Amino acid sequence: MSEKRTLAIIVGSVREGRFGPVVASWIAEQAHRHGGFEVEVVDLADVEIPLSMPAASPKFTGDAYPRPAAMAPLTARLTRAEAFILVTPEYNHSYPASLKAAIDWHFTQWAAKPVAFVSYGGPAGGRHAVLHLENVLTELHAVTIRDGLAFPNYFVGWEDGRPLDPDAAGYAKVLLDQLAWWAAALTTAREATPYPA
């Protein structure tokens, strides 16, 4: 087995009664079973993420960006990660403000790293949220993974913390295989040549 890459699974919703931690726990289990990652679950509900931001851009200020002290653990985890899975619901055809704020407070932490998506929602399964996230992460120079996971009508599609779809684990393996390949390739590239700002 090649070197394991650090994977941050980010729970994007902070809404009361959210389903995100259930989905994140399941995909973390799949990632552990896959064997290509050191897995860390990052729950945005545990982080204070202000909506009011400094005038300067994190793109240009880098490590000097004036983030709140309470955000330091989140920034460190994003910096350390070599790959991401964003677990997101769909709110009004898009993704939660908590996830947008966490993304916007950072820039270099996402650049030249792969990002995969696991979404859930009503009939669309969170796919509208993922389409918006793909646009945002592309602007941050991240590499989005084509094969994601979407769980339509999750409220009837899960039981005891697991999806009822018997093919879900197979789809997760495809996502994780692609994520592992991109994580290895991009980590090697960043080590060989620092990514330009």
Side-chain angles (χ1 to χ4, degrees), residues 6-10 38 40-42 77-78 81 83-86:
T6 305
L7 169 63
I9 298 174
I10 299 176
E38 296 290 345
E40 185 173 15
V41 176
V42 179
R77 294 167 96 179
L78 297 181
F84 300 97
I85 293 177
L86 302 187

Side-chain angles (χ1 to χ4, degrees), residues 50-94:
L51 296 180
S52 178
M53 301 177 69
S57 167
K59 176 179 180 178
F60 301 112
T61 52
D63 292 340
Y65 192 63
R67 297 181 185 90
M71 196 180 291
L74 172 63
T75 301
R77 294 167 96 179
L78 297 181
T79 300
R80 183 169 59 248
E82 296 169 286
F84 300 97
I85 293 177
L86 302 187
V87 176
T88 184
E90 183 174 312
Y91 297 162
N92 300 322
H93 272 220
S94 195

